Amino acid sequence: GVAADPDAYDAETLRTAGDLPGGGTLVSSAIEPAAVSPYIWSADKSEDGAITLNGFAPSEDVRQRIVDATVVGNPDATVTDNLRIAAGAPDNFDAITDFGIDQLPDLASGSISLTDDEYAINGTAETSESYEAALFRANNELPAGSSLSIAAISPPLAEGVYNWGAAKGADGSIRLTGLMPDLEAKQRIAARAAQVNPGATIDDQMRVAAGAPDGFVASAETSLGFLPQFEVGAVQIADTEMSVQGRAADGDSFDAANLVGTDLPEGINLETEISLPVASGPYQVVANKSADVVTLQGFAPSRDAKDKIVAAAEGLGVNVVDRIQLASGAPDGLDWGAAGAYAVSGLQNTSTGRATLAGNSVTVDADTANGNAYAAAIADWDRPLPAGLSIGTEAIRLPVASPFNWEATFTDRLSIDGVVPSEEVKAANVAEAQRLFGENVRVVDTQDLAGGAPRGFEAATSVGLNSISRMEQAYARVTDNRLEVVGTAFTPSARTDIERKVINGVPPGFTGVANISVRPAPLETGGLGELNAPTCQDELNGVLAGGQIQFETNEAVINEGSFGLLDRLAYTAQACPDANIEVSGHTDADGGEDFNKKLSERRAVAVVNYLIVAGVSSGRLSPVGFGEAQPIASNDTAEGKAQNRRIEFTVQQ
C-alpha cells in the first residue's frame, strides 16, 4: 500500500525489516512512500566541515547514492544522513542533487537546498576561486528543468594585508591583480581599466575576498587614472596605503598623472614616484630666433625648469613657439632651468641666431643689427654663469656693411665716422688720433661696428689718420679696399711725403689715392704773414702746446706721429724769416749724464734736419743739447720724466 506519510513509511519499513511475531515469514512488502509537497532536500555544511543531509529522497537507492556521493566528494568531512523517503520528487532530482553535491567543496560553510525544482545556495566560499566558480555554476550551469531561487555566497575573508594592484606593460597591456570585496566590484574595476585604456589588453587576475577597508574599491577605481599617463607603471594598494610608480608618456601626461591622486577617498595615503619619459634625442635646449619669433625645442626635467626657459624667451619681446618637452636625462648638479634661461636670454640683442644648451655647455651662433647691439650682445655673454655651466663656442657676428665705409675729417676738430670691425679697432683709431693730433684737438668718435671689413683695414685707417694729422682741412676716407686722402699740407716736402705714404704705404690689396694741395707759404697771399720775434715765439709755443716731439726710445729717430707737429713748426718758423731759432734737446735723468747730453744733441739735430727739408733756412737754426741739466719737473715720477724729455724752440732776439 501507500504510506500515510513519511513517518508511517519509515515505521512500516522498519517493522517489516525485522523478525515477524510468532516466527512468521514476510512473503512480500510493497509499501510505497507518501508524496510530499513541497519536496525539499538540503546539504548543510558547518564551519568545521561536517555535512548534514536533510529532506527527502525518492527511494533508498537514491538516498544511498546521495550519501555515497557526498562522502566521496568531501572525503575529510563527517557526513550525517537525515534523509527520509518520500514521493513527489521533481523529474530532475538526481541531476540537481548531484549538481548541489558537486558545489559543496566550494563552500567553507553554508547550505545547498532544493525546493521542488528551485535551487538555492547560501554560505561562505572556501576560496576566492571557488567563490567565483560557485556563483558562475549556480547562475549558468543548473540542470535543465531547474531554476535558481537564491545564490547568496559570501567571499572568504582575506588573510593578512588587503591588497590590489594594476600594472601597465611596455606593450600597453594592463594586468589586474589582488583582491576585490565582491564580484560586482571586480567586474567594475576590470571594465574601468578597459575604459580608460582603450584598445589595451586587460589581463584580469583579481580575486574576491572580504575584508576590504572603507574606500578601497573607490581608491582602486581612481588609481586606474594613472595608467593612461604612463609608458610603463604600476599602482598598488595595501589596506589604506597606495603607492604609484611609473614613467610618464610625455610632459602633459606627467602633469596629468600628478593630478590623479588629488581626489582619493579620505583615509587613503598616497605615495608616488612618477618619472618623466626618457628624452627621444640629445638632451638639450635650442632657441632659434628670427626677427619676430623665437622657437624653443628640446627637453626640460621639470615644469618649473621649462617655465624658466619660456619666461626668458618671452623676455626677448618676440613671439614664442614652445616645443620643449618634459623628459628625464638632464645633467646632475646643473640648474637646467637657470642654464636654459641664460642661453635664451643671451639672444636679447641679436637680430637672428641660435643659442644651444647641451650638457653643461652653452653655445651661441648669432647676428646683430648694428654695432651697439653687437656690443650689448657680447656683454650678454659676459654675465655670471649659473653654477656648473660653461661657455662653449661663442660666435656673435656684426652686420655686414657693403660698401665698407670709414672716414676721418679734420677741421677745427677731428671727427671719426663710419664702420669698423671691432671695438678694439675703434678704440685703436681714437687712441691714435689723440696721439697724433694732441690734446688741443677735440676728437669726436661716431664709429659703429660692422662686419665685412677688408683685410688690412686697420692699417689703412692708420695711414689715413697719420696723413691728415700733417694737414689742415683734410679728410681720409676708406671705401672697401680704397683709401682716399684729401687736404692741404703745410710744406711741399710734406705733401710729397704724404702722397708717397698714401700711395705706397697702404696694405696689400688696397689702393691709395692722394689729392693734396700745399698751403701758401707764410709770406705769400693767404699765408701766415711775417711775424716779429716775440710773436714768432708765441706761435711756436702755441704749436708745441698741442704735443711733444716723440722719438724712438734711446734713439734720435723721430716718431712718425710727430711729423704733423714738425710740419706746423716748420711753417711757423718760415713766418719769421729774420729770426734765428735755437732748437734745444732735453732728457730725463735716467741713464748716464754724458749719454743723455749726446742723445739730446742728436735729437735736436734730427729736428733741425727735418725743418731744413721742410724749407726752413739752415742758417737760422741752431741745434743744442742740454741732456738732463735743465729739468722742468721731478725725475722721481714717470709723469715728470715725460715732461723733461722735450724739444724746445727759442727765438733769438
Side-chain angles (χ1 to χ4, degrees):
V2 177
D5 52 47
D7 291 338
Y9 179 83
D10 290 343
E12 294 308 316
T13 300
L14 180 62
R15 279 159 51 87
T16 56
D19 294 333
L20 295 180
T25 300
L26 179 63
V27 177
S28 67
S29 176
I31 302 173
E32 295 181 9
V36 295
S37 182
Y39 201 91
I40 60 174
W41 172 88
S42 69
D44 300 313
K45 188 173 185 179
S46 64
E47 291 183 357
D48 62 0
I51 298 173
T52 301
L53 300 174
N54 294 307
F56 303 101
S59 68
E60 285 293 339
D61 291 341
V62 173
R63 174 182 179 176
Q64 191 60 50
R65 182 185 62 76
I66 290 173
V67 172
D68 292 343
T70 302
V71 171
V72 170
N74 301 270
D76 296 328
T78 298
V79 178
T80 300
D81 176 19
N82 291 331
L83 292 174
R84 302 168 70 188
I85 307 301
D91 293 340
N92 62 349
F93 182 82
D94 289 348
I96 195 65
T97 53
D98 286 346
F99 180 82
I101 293 168
D102 284 346
Q103 284 206 286
L104 276 176
D106 290 336
L107 298 179
S109 62
S111 67
I112 296 166
S113 62
L114 180 69
T115 301
D116 293 331
D117 60 359
E118 291 187 355
Y119 181 80
I121 181 170
N122 295 270
T124 301
E126 181 72 30
T127 65
S128 296
E129 290 79 5
S130 60
Y131 167 79
E132 294 191 53
L135 279 178
F136 179 82
R137 293 192 65 196
N139 283 282
N140 298 282
E141 296 180 355
L142 282 176
S146 303
S147 62
L148 180 66
S149 62
I150 298 174
I153 305 173
S154 299
L157 184 66
E159 296 181 1
V161 175
Y162 202 93
N163 62 76
W164 172 87
K168 183 175 184 178
D171 61 354
S173 62
I174 306 297
R175 182 165 58 91
L176 304 174
T177 58
L179 305 176
M180 280 287 120
D182 53 55
L183 191 59
E184 179 186 0
K186 178 177 181 292
Q187 292 169 345
R188 189 173 103 203
I189 293 299
R192 179 61 177 168
Q195 178 186 16
V196 298
N197 298 275
T201 299
I202 307 299
D203 179 13
D204 181 6
Q205 298 181 15
M206 293 183 292
R207 296 173 292 113
V208 177
D214 291 342
F216 189 88
V217 176
S219 299
E221 189 169 14
T222 298
S223 72
L224 287 171
F226 285 104
L227 299 185
Q229 316 305 331
F230 291 163
E231 290 181 335
V232 291
V235 294
Q236 294 286 333
I237 305 177
D239 289 336
T240 59
E241 302 297 322
M242 178 186 294
S243 63
V244 179
Q245 299 88 30
R247 184 172 70 238
D250 51 42
D252 291 339
S253 298
F254 178 80
D255 292 340
N258 281 290
L259 294 175
V260 170
T262 57
D263 57 351
L264 287 171
E266 186 176 355
I268 301 297
N269 301 314
L270 173 64
E271 182 177 337
T272 62
E273 186 178 330
I274 303 171
S275 64
L276 288 162
V278 176
S280 57
Y283 205 94
Q284 60 184 13
V285 170
V286 180
N288 286 295
K289 182 185 179 185
S290 64
D292 57 358
V293 65
V294 60
T295 301
L296 302 175
Q297 295 176 303
F299 304 98
S302 67
R303 178 66 62 183
D304 178 65
K306 178 178 178 178
D307 289 345
K308 288 181 181 178
I309 297 169
V310 173
E314 291 171 343
L316 299 180
V318 295
N319 295 322
V320 176
V321 177
D322 173 20
R323 294 175 181 163
I324 294 178
Q325 303 176 40
L326 298 185
S328 60
D332 293 334
L334 179 66
D335 185 336
W336 189 259
Y342 182 95
V344 173
S345 60
L347 297 175
Q348 177 68 55
N349 291 290
T350 64
S351 54
T352 60
R354 170 182 293 185
T356 302
L357 169 63
N360 292 74
S361 179
V362 60
T363 62
V364 61
D365 186 347
D367 297 305
T368 54
N370 52 55
N372 290 334
Y374 174 80
I378 293 295
D380 286 340
W381 291 92
D382 286 336
R383 292 170 295 149
L385 290 164
L389 184 65
S390 63
I391 298 289
T393 303
E394 182 180 333
I396 299 176
R397 290 174 295 276
L398 287 161
V400 175
S402 181
F404 202 90
N405 291 325
W406 175 90
E407 184 173 300
T409 303
F410 177 47
T411 54
D412 58 338
R413 63 181 181 177
L414 179 67
S415 299
I416 311 176
D417 194 13
V419 292
V420 292
S422 69
E423 286 288 349
E424 291 75 16
V425 173
K426 177 180 179 180
N429 284 340
V430 172
E432 185 162 16
Q434 291 172 337
R435 179 180 63 85
L436 291 170
F437 289 86
E439 298 178 357
N440 292 340
V441 175
R442 179 187 173 198
V443 177
V444 179
D445 174 24
T446 57
Q447 298 172 100
D448 199 359
L449 303 183
R455 184 184 296 274
F457 172 82
E458 186 174 1
T461 60
S462 179
V463 171
L465 286 169
N466 273 274
S467 298
I468 65 173
S469 73
R470 302 181 62 179
M471 297 186 286
E472 62 178 359
Q473 303 296 320
Y475 69 82
R477 179 180 297 140
V478 173
T479 304
D480 291 335
N481 295 84
R482 183 176 186 271
L483 169 63
E484 179 187 11
V485 176
V486 176
T488 302
F490 287 93
T491 67
S493 62
R495 177 179 67 181
T496 300
D497 194 36
I498 295 169
E499 288 177 341
R500 178 180 58 80
K501 295 286 181 62
V502 171
I503 295 171
N504 300 322
V506 292
F510 267 80
T511 299
V513 177
N515 184 7
I516 300 171
S517 61
V518 179
R519 183 177 181 179
L523 303 182
E524 294 178 2
T525 303
L528 185 60
E530 186 172 349
L531 305 175
N532 58 33
T535 304
C536 184
Q537 184 69 67
D538 291 342
E539 290 290 333
L540 290 172
N541 291 343
V543 174
L544 284 169
Q548 288 190 356
I549 300 170
Q550 302 293 325
F551 297 86
E552 301 297 328
T553 304
N554 291 330
E555 298 290 343
V557 178
I558 302 172
N559 189 296
E560 288 191 10
S562 295
F563 287 177
L565 181 60
L566 286 168
D567 290 343
R568 287 169 174 78
L569 288 168
Y571 187 83
T572 302
Q574 291 178 43
C576 319
D578 298 328
N580 293 324
I581 303 172
E582 178 186 89
V583 179
S584 59
H586 303 267
T587 69
D588 58 31
D590 289 348
E593 183 177 345
D594 184 60
F595 174 82
N596 286 338
K597 188 173 188 310
K598 290 179 180 179
L599 177 61
S600 65
E601 290 174 351
R602 289 189 290 117
R603 286 180 170 177
V605 170
V607 171
V608 167
N609 289 337
Y610 188 96
L611 297 176
I612 291 171
V613 173
V616 181
S617 173
S618 61
R620 298 171 49 217
L621 301 172
S622 301
V624 60
F626 292 100
E628 60 189 69
Q630 297 181 1
I632 60 174
S634 172
N635 278 306
D636 294 332
T637 65
E639 293 80 5
K641 291 177 182 180
Q643 294 180 54
N644 290 332
R645 295 189 299 270
R646 67 194 188 279
I647 296 291
E648 292 184 343
F649 283 62
T650 304
V651 177
Q652 304 294 324
Q653 298 294 332

